[in-house]
Amino acid sequence: MKKLQRSITRFFFNNRNRGIPNLMLYIGLGNLLVYIFSLADPSGALVYALSFSRSKIFDGQIWRLFSYIFIPNVGGNAFTQPLFLAIMFFFYFQIGRILEARWGIMKFNCYYLCGVIIMDIAALILGVSANAYYLNLSLILAFATMCPEDRVLLLYIIPFKMKWLAWFYLGSVVLSFFFLAFPYCLFPVVALLNYFLFFGREIQNVLPRMGSYHRSYTPPRQTAAPNPQWADRYRGKDGKKPYRHKCTVCGRTDADYPDLEFRYCSRCKGYYCYCSDHINNHAHIQ
């Protein structure tokens, strides 16, 4: 299993720039266009043509398996809907751009595509309509897992840590069992399946630290500041540059990438080094 995870990680790294860049921007623009056309067509013919329908999909309208992600799902009256829609998708666009920068375009595209496929399977089995509301919310949990201490401005006023938003999201998943009718109460959990597929035990990054559940962190021993240029002046007999740090996942070294940051994971059993692209996103070695 660990070898498979490493192979998948290397695949995403080697193809990180392939795919659809700024995916959330296109999804947000699609939602905006559908919203504008829905105002011009009160009958809702466009929304109906894009919505998920198991009977229509079995009749051959397979575009409904993906087109529902462009249907805006906001509450409120006609006056507040455009404002909520703009704020919501600007926030999703910012999170998507950050995840693309850390993961790469390919991995983020696969994350969202896998979420759509999982939602499709659940909706086909349960015989209900699917929407992208909970899938988009799972982006908040993904970002919070990678950067739990990062702060955002809630409503552009209140500073909020991402892990707090993750707690709120996980709490809403629990409350959905009490306030949503069956089987719609299952969709928040279905959206989490995609998250666990990509993160697994990394959810510990956002859980409250209670008792001995989390391994205590021991700061590394302070050493003299290394000279980043030392490897440029020396080569071994085989012509290769020596190095101090080498990423366990991608194999990059500080000799070949002097501007790249390297860290050692305190949760891996042993002395394993990772670059800045993989220190928060790797399978821990036990």
Side-chain angles (χ1 to χ4, degrees), residues 44-114:
L46 178 61
V47 174
Y48 175 75
L50 298 178
S51 61
F52 188 96
S53 173
R54 185 170 68 172
S55 60
K56 297 296 183 180
I57 292 173
F58 288 157
D59 289 339
Q61 299 181 11
I62 59 175
W63 68 83
R64 294 176 181 266
L65 291 171
F66 304 95
S67 59
Y68 65 88
I69 66 175
F70 298 106
I71 299 178
N73 191 347
V74 293
N77 53 44
F79 178 77
T80 58
Q81 277 183 347
L83 178 62
F84 287 144
L85 184 66
I87 294 176
M88 181 175 60
F89 278 99
F90 179 75
F91 185 54
Y92 290 149
F93 166 69
Q94 293 293 337
I95 292 179
R97 188 172 63 173
I98 294 173
L99 291 177
E100 281 188 5
R102 296 184 66 92
W103 272 350
I105 298 173
M106 171 65 75
K107 187 171 184 178
F108 180 72
N109 285 185
C110 289
Y111 178 86
Y112 201 88
L113 177 61
C114 287

Side-chain angles (χ1 to χ4, degrees), residues 142-153:
F143 177 52
T145 304
M146 300 177 65
C147 308
E149 300 297 330
D150 282 15
R151 294 178 180 270
V152 296
L153 292 179

Side-chain angles (χ1 to χ4, degrees), residues 18-37:
R18 296 183 179 181
I20 304 175
N22 296 320
L23 177 63
M24 294 308 299
L25 174 62
Y26 297 127
I27 294 177
L29 291 176
N31 276 259
L32 178 61
L33 291 176
V34 172
Y35 178 76
I36 293 175
F37 278 110

